[in-house]
Amino acid sequence: MKGVEFILASWRSTFAETVGQLRRWFQLEKTPCCTMAQNNSSFPVKLFIYDLSRGMARQLSPVMLGRQLDGIWHTGVVVHGKEFFFGGAGINRCLPCGTILGQPNSVVDLGYTEVNEDLFMEYLDSLAESEYRCDRYNMFEHNCNTFSNDVVQFLTGKKIPSYITDLPSEILSTPFGQAIRPLLDSMAVNPGGNDITGQR
Amino acid sequence: MAEQGAADLGNNNNNKPEASEGTIIKVTVKTPKDKEEIAIAEDASVTQFKEEISKRFKAKQDQLVLIFAGKILKDGDSLSQHGIKDGLTVHLVIKTAHKAADGGSTSASSSTSTQAGSSSASSPAANPAPTTVPAGSGQAPTQTPNIMSGFGDLASLAGLGMGSANFMELQQQMQRQLMSNPEMLSQIMENPLVQNMMSNPDLMRQMIMANPQMQQLMERNPEISHMLNNPELMRQTMELARNPAMMQEMMRNQDRALSNLESIPGGYNALRRMYTDIQEPMFSAAREQFGNNPFSALGGNSDSGAQPSRTENREPLPNPWGPPNSSNPSESGGGTTGSTSTSGTTNPSVSNPLGVNPASLGNGMFNSPGMQSLLQQISENPQLMQNMLSAPYMRSMMQSLAQNPELASQVMMNNPLFAGNPQLQEQFRSQLPIFLQQMQNPEALSVMTNPRAMQALMQIQQGLQTLQTEAPGLMPSLMTGGIPGVPTGGAVPAENPASSPSSAATNPAQQQLMQQMLQMFAGGGGSGGGNGTSQTPEVRFQTQLDQLNAMGFINREANLQALIATGGDINAAIERLLGSQPS
């Protein structure tokens, strides 16, 4: 029974990725993922926000944590037609909406950047060797949202919305959060995608 | 230049001709690896700023790229032009050799791996649209583990421990493990169970369609449903799942093929026709070839698929997935859409086109040591169960289970707990619809996912058994002691992790325990003491049935159902019957 469920889940994710590619080939770009206008020097930057709990946090957080959390937020930065995020395997990139998380809960438009793709990739490579190596991942202190915040500041000078970056401290301020902290410290969110430096 | 004397206003007119105002501002310059504070005149130019930076960071000026507020600072600009003031942060990227003059740059941010990174980055730069081939090839390796991530669970979960409570993350970790161990992948693929699953495109398609996201996508893009209906594509995908070495090539072929599809107006219709033509022969061929390489069967069959479909072979083929000790009956009759007959074999039915006998699925899956350890893991950590249950696809899985009670019953029947007790199986089967309904009931679900509730239930069962041993005369109908089962709250309640160590030995007591459990759930927590003998419901409830008959409830079937649901409690059964009767 569980096996069937595993297969189902894995096929879901497989086909979600395949379908993502297909949508691109068929140029069926009706989602926020793929409508990226680009001119020579100005590239739009968007922040994709996902709720890892798929709505469970909104329902269960008052009970479990004692305070209302609308979601467990995971973010990815979408620029130059790709989505970049930091997970347990380091900095990853994929096609927008190309992780198993699917479509984002919300998209924040962060304006434009002049940083072209080459420069951005160099920047990310540097990050991947220093601040954002795979072993630097910490679910509370140094997670995907930390990365998104840094990258977005680099690209645009702005920060990501504070309700995202405040999430770890909100959780840790509850007794439940403190209790599960050791567990969460050992976890890592890794929605997939490709490692940016080709390493794992 | 005395940039070290940042606070010393008197030094500011050394090399800064415009520094007549004398305001030094401290600007933080941040690289990916480093952060430095640089003092510079407020109205300095970017060039001068870069001079300072190159000294501090020991890099050449033309390697420096400064970014502030999303803008690249050009040499001719001035800092104030960009609004760079005291205390603000400017980002710095030190470019690597291929843009700079010399190759061996000593800057902190460049290294050999950057070379590799930028070479792959330059090709996307050349291609303004999202990259196809590089991204495709980059993604391709992850697709293999995606497909097999579930099976990676089996093999490696035991070693992984509670690496992740989120089921999706668990999957991803499995993927990584799988990636790092290609042997595992080939082992998994060799599992005939896997091959059978994969060789059933309709089953795959069903599962895929059950995903609401997919449904959304398919609504928006009907081409995708055509893609799913394309057996060629399915076969290719399955093949390339087997052979990671082929993966990239197949992906590229797929790319090209699909873009061709787009341009052929009648292409989709042709594909659909082909699928229908291929469908039946493929199914029967796949089943025939069980044990051999089903992919060769598919491959061989697809060649013949181009021919007109052969006459439909209505005769049910031997079921390769039948229980190991059952022979393969070759009964004829019943079309490919006929309903199932015996419990041993499962003929193809509408909802189960390949006639996959889920019993054997369960068999194969449950008996693997990986699955045992998985169950053990779950028992040790109810959190995992909870999260597993709350995963979104769980709902769709349970819904499809509810819609296909036969599938569910087959799976449950095969559970080792039930294997030795046909009466229990029957009883369970009759209870199944009720049980599945309960599964859908969010309250029941929340009970099951609540570890404390689970523990309470465990305690109840323990208490019952203690009571039974202590005072056997008091509750003669209670079963003999066994390890109390932990109700896992999974889609199949019979997945009894705590009993997994003893699952190999079919303990009748355990079965009866499960029976009790089911009654409790089905009855919404009715009397826990219920009847625990191993007789058929009719026999067990004979007394109650008679009583109900005497009271005027003449619908024996309904009576029986009610009694089963309430565990023999007459009053509750009466209420149930009254509640269901139009009054």
Side-chain angles (χ1 to χ4, degrees):
Chain A
M1 196 57 237
K2 280 199 171 59
V4 176
E5 171 203 310
F6 291 159
I7 298 163
L8 176 151
S10 52
W11 269 99
R12 269 183 76 242
S13 48
T14 308
F15 271 86
E17 283 195 33
T18 315
V19 163
Q21 286 197 11
L22 286 174
R23 274 168 42 224
R24 187 174 35 80
W25 297 324
F26 294 157
Q27 286 136 22
L28 303 167
E29 298 169 351
K30 299 171 194 156
T31 68
C33 306
C34 304
T35 48
M36 294 284 181
Q38 291 182 11
N39 51 26
N40 277 343
S41 64
S42 186
F43 310 98
V45 179
K46 292 197 194 323
L47 184 74
F48 280 16
I49 307 176
Y50 303 84
D51 178 9
L52 286 177
S53 70
R54 309 267 197 184
M56 304 279 299
R58 186 187 300 260
Q59 296 173 12
L60 295 182
S61 59
V63 174
M64 292 175 68
L65 292 180
R67 58 200 303 173
Q68 176 72 32
L69 288 181
D70 283 336
I72 310 291
W73 305 116
H74 163 85
T75 53
V77 180
V78 177
V79 65
H80 297 297
K82 287 180 265 298
E83 181 170 349
F84 300 90
F85 54 89
F86 179 56
I91 300 181
N92 289 342
R93 76 159 171 220
C94 64
L95 295 176
C97 309
T99 67
I100 62 172
L101 297 174
Q103 297 279 331
N105 273 50
S106 50
V107 175
V108 177
D109 189 354
L110 293 163
Y112 292 88
T113 186
E114 281 181 10
V115 176
N116 65 6
E117 185 152 5
D118 275 351
L119 191 59
F120 185 56
M121 295 311 291
E122 286 204 35
Y123 169 73
L124 286 183
D125 287 332
S126 310
L127 283 184
E129 286 155 21
S130 58
E131 274 291 303
Y132 289 98
R133 286 194 304 270
C134 8
D135 54 351
R136 291 292 317 266
Y137 186 92
N138 178 288
M139 170 139 300
F140 283 111
E141 317 274 332
H142 200 69
N143 57 17
C144 51
N145 301 325
T146 322
F147 171 78
S148 299
N149 207 6
D150 283 350
V151 169
V152 161
Q153 283 189 45
F154 170 79
L155 289 175
T156 66
K158 301 179 195 157
K159 296 193 183 192
I160 67 179
S162 60
Y163 69 89
I164 300 174
T165 43
D166 288 344
L167 188 70
S169 55
E170 285 217 11
I171 294 183
L172 285 178
S173 69
T174 67
F176 181 80
Q178 287 291 339
I180 62 172
R181 175 172 196 162
L183 172 67
L184 291 180
D185 271 345
S186 67
M187 276 170 45
V189 176
N190 198 14
N194 306 305
D195 184 64
I196 205 167
T197 60
Q199 302 155 2
R200 284 260 169 206
Chain B
M1 289 186 240
E3 73 269 13
Q4 269 71 22
D8 187 358
L9 290 178
N11 281 338
N12 64 356
N13 48 8
N14 277 351
N15 289 329
K16 304 179 180 62
E18 311 98 320
S20 51
E21 294 187 14
T23 321
I24 296 279
I25 54 175
K26 289 204 199 80
V27 180
T28 306
V29 176
K30 204 160 174 259
T31 65
K33 306 194 175 189
D34 227 345
K35 189 160 80 168
E36 298 261 356
E37 215 176 60
I38 299 217
I40 191 89
E42 193 177 23
D43 39 11
S45 72
V46 171
T47 317
Q48 290 161 336
F49 195 31
K50 282 193 179 177
E51 278 181 37
E52 301 281 335
I53 292 175
S54 74
K55 289 194 180 80
R56 188 73 73 88
F57 285 90
K58 301 184 183 41
K60 283 185 181 281
Q61 265 185 272
D62 42 1
Q63 284 178 296
L64 305 179
V65 180
L66 287 167
I67 294 116
F68 181 74
K71 293 199 179 24
I72 299 184
L73 306 184
K74 305 201 184 5
D75 288 353
D77 302 337
S78 78
L79 298 184
S80 51
Q81 186 181 339
H82 284 283
I84 301 177
K85 296 190 184 11
D86 189 32
L88 293 181
T89 301
V90 173
H91 291 277
L92 170 70
V93 176
I94 303 177
K95 288 198 283 199
T96 51
H98 71 280
K99 284 284 171 83
D102 57 351
S105 97
T106 56
S107 66
S109 65
S110 64
S111 69
T112 52
S113 71
T114 312
Q115 300 281 350
S118 42
S119 63
S120 70
S122 57
S123 61
N127 184 4
T131 57
T132 58
V133 171
S137 59
Q139 277 188 343
T142 61
Q143 288 206 356
T144 310
N146 263 335
I147 295 173
M148 287 301 115
S149 66
F151 299 94
D153 272 342
L154 299 184
S156 58
L157 184 59
L160 189 62
M162 269 296 293
S164 146
N166 184 328
F167 199 65
M168 290 189 292
E169 297 157 22
L170 195 64
Q171 261 190 322
Q172 293 301 324
Q173 290 194 352
M174 291 308 113
Q175 283 182 28
R176 266 188 296 143
Q177 291 235 344
L178 206 52
M179 275 282 285
S180 58
N181 186 356
E183 284 178 3
M184 194 190 299
L185 181 61
S186 50
Q187 275 173 16
I188 284 163
M189 287 309 303
E190 279 157 25
N191 183 351
L193 177 64
V194 171
Q195 290 177 346
N196 290 323
M197 288 294 300
M198 304 276 289
S199 64
N200 181 358
D202 223 37
L203 184 61
M204 287 289 140
R205 194 158 57 93
Q206 275 184 359
M207 293 203 288
I208 292 158
M209 306 250 230
N211 176 5
Q213 278 184 335
M214 273 307 291
Q215 286 169 355
Q216 265 186 0
L217 281 164
M218 285 170 70
E219 271 172 62
R220 269 186 266 152
N221 311 318
E223 288 86 359
I224 290 171
S225 59
H226 293 304
M227 184 267 297
L228 281 179
N229 287 335
N230 180 0
E232 275 292 313
L233 195 58
M234 302 285 284
R235 188 177 53 82
Q236 275 187 2
T237 314
M238 292 168 194
E239 273 189 20
L240 59 87
R242 282 183 74 222
N243 188 351
M246 275 171 60
M247 181 70 80
Q248 282 193 5
E249 197 49 45
M250 297 301 286
M251 289 298 292
R252 293 206 183 100
N253 290 342
Q254 203 176 356
D255 286 2
R256 273 181 262 127
L258 285 163
S259 46
N260 287 340
L261 276 179
E262 186 191 17
S263 54
I264 298 173
Y268 292 138
N269 292 334
L271 284 172
R272 218 179 324 183
R273 251 182 295 120
M274 197 168 75
Y275 179 64
T276 319
D277 288 348
I278 289 179
Q279 180 174 358
E280 291 184 5
M282 204 161 75
F283 287 161
S284 35
R287 296 175 68 203
E288 267 176 335
Q289 302 272 344
F290 174 80
N292 306 337
N293 182 356
F295 294 96
S296 65
L298 286 174
N301 209 29
S302 70
D303 291 341
S304 65
Q307 305 161 7
S309 67
R310 56 188 200 222
T311 54
E312 292 178 345
N313 185 358
R314 292 277 170 191
E315 185 176 322
L317 292 164
N319 184 353
W321 294 283
N325 53 1
S326 74
S327 60
N328 287 331
S330 55
E331 55 214 312
S332 57
T336 51
T337 58
S339 56
T340 63
S341 50
T342 67
S343 60
T345 64
T346 308
N347 294 333
S349 64
V350 176
S351 60
N352 195 357
L354 198 57
V356 174
N357 184 352
S360 66
L361 288 185
N363 223 353
M365 301 302 282
F366 286 159
N367 288 344
S368 79
M371 182 53 95
Q372 298 287 353
S373 67
L374 176 63
L375 294 176
Q376 240 175 348
Q377 286 267 331
I378 292 175
S379 66
E380 283 156 18
N381 194 339
Q383 182 74 13
L384 180 61
M385 207 57 225
Q386 186 171 348
N387 285 308
M388 198 183 288
L389 194 61
S390 60
Y393 38 78
M394 200 65 177
R395 310 258 162 184
S396 54
M397 195 65 202
M398 285 161 70
Q399 274 171 13
S400 50
L401 264 189
Q403 289 155 12
N404 190 353
E406 154 202 298
L407 178 74
S409 71
Q410 291 289 348
V411 175
M412 292 183 197
M413 287 315 111
N414 196 63
N415 184 291
L417 279 181
F418 294 146
N421 189 346
Q423 284 93 0
L424 184 60
Q425 288 182 12
E426 276 188 35
Q427 185 179 13
F428 188 65
R429 221 176 276 157
S430 55
Q431 286 180 352
L432 196 58
I434 302 166
F435 186 79
L436 285 174
Q437 257 187 346
Q438 284 288 331
M439 281 291 107
Q440 300 286 354
N441 179 0
E443 277 193 15
L445 280 176
S446 61
V447 165
M448 282 188 176
T449 57
N450 184 350
R452 289 185 294 279
M454 288 295 134
Q455 281 176 10
L457 281 168
M458 269 175 68
Q459 286 172 3
I460 290 173
Q461 287 178 347
Q462 274 175 337
L464 285 172
Q465 280 162 6
T466 314
L467 193 58
Q468 196 268 336
T469 51
E470 292 296 320
L474 185 61
M475 298 200 187
S477 60
L478 281 185
M479 65 200 70
T480 55
I483 303 171
V486 174
T488 62
V492 178
E495 281 173 352
N496 197 333
S499 67
S500 61
S502 62
S503 61
T506 54
N507 186 351
Q510 298 237 344
Q511 297 157 7
Q512 295 181 349
L513 195 89
M514 285 311 303
Q515 206 174 338
Q516 257 198 357
M517 266 271 315
L518 294 169
Q519 289 166 0
M520 280 170 62
F521 272 108
S527 65
N531 295 325
T533 65
S534 58
Q535 299 162 313
T536 64
E538 288 98 357
V539 176
R540 272 192 299 121
F541 296 135
Q542 193 55 48
T543 326
Q544 289 91 333
L545 276 171
D546 290 342
Q547 287 177 346
L548 286 173
N549 259 329
M551 280 188 236
F553 295 100
I554 52 178
N555 185 349
R556 192 176 166 82
E557 278 302 311
N559 293 351
L560 195 56
Q561 289 294 330
L563 281 171
I564 292 170
T566 61
D569 182 356
I570 289 202
N571 291 331
I574 291 173
E575 291 194 13
R576 266 184 108 84
L577 291 167
L578 288 173
S580 64
Q581 285 178 3
S583 54

